[in-house]
Amino acid sequence: MKAKTAVKKPNIFVRMGRKIKEVFSELKKVTWPSFGKVVKSTGIVISVVVIFLIIFTAINFGLSTLLELVTSIGG
């Protein structure tokens, strides 16, 4: 029989410390967008959300009006 050699893992605090170091190391490599790009992207996102809000509100209004029309015919 082979003798099993137990590989002991470092404790949780050592592993968490290593992971935090890795995270900060990766964050140093990130290319952050300029302020202008962030503002432009935010404007685009807000515009798309407002457009979809208007579309879904119109659809909801139309369907509720159609439902009232159908229920008034039956009564």
Side-chain angles (χ1 to χ4, degrees):
M1 281 197 224
K2 292 183 182 179
K4 290 186 178 180
T5 56
V7 177
K8 189 174 180 183
K9 291 194 307 190
N11 67 21
I12 188 149
F13 298 109
V14 172
R15 287 184 285 163
M16 283 182 2
R18 287 181 188 164
K19 187 58 76 174
I20 289 172
K21 282 183 183 178
E22 288 176 17
V23 168
F24 281 110
S25 171
E26 288 297 320
L27 281 175
K28 288 179 184 177
K29 298 176 186 177
V30 172
T31 304
W32 298 100
S34 66
F35 182 73
K37 259 189 181 175
V38 171
V39 170
K40 184 178 177 183
S41 297
T42 303
I44 291 171
V45 168
I46 290 173
S47 301
V48 168
V49 168
V50 167
I51 290 169
F52 275 101
L53 175 72
I54 292 169
I55 290 170
F56 285 128
T57 303
I59 290 172
N60 187 26
F61 179 75
L63 289 176
S64 65
T65 306
L66 181 65
L67 180 64
E68 286 180 20
L69 180 67
V70 168
T71 55
S72 69
I73 292 174

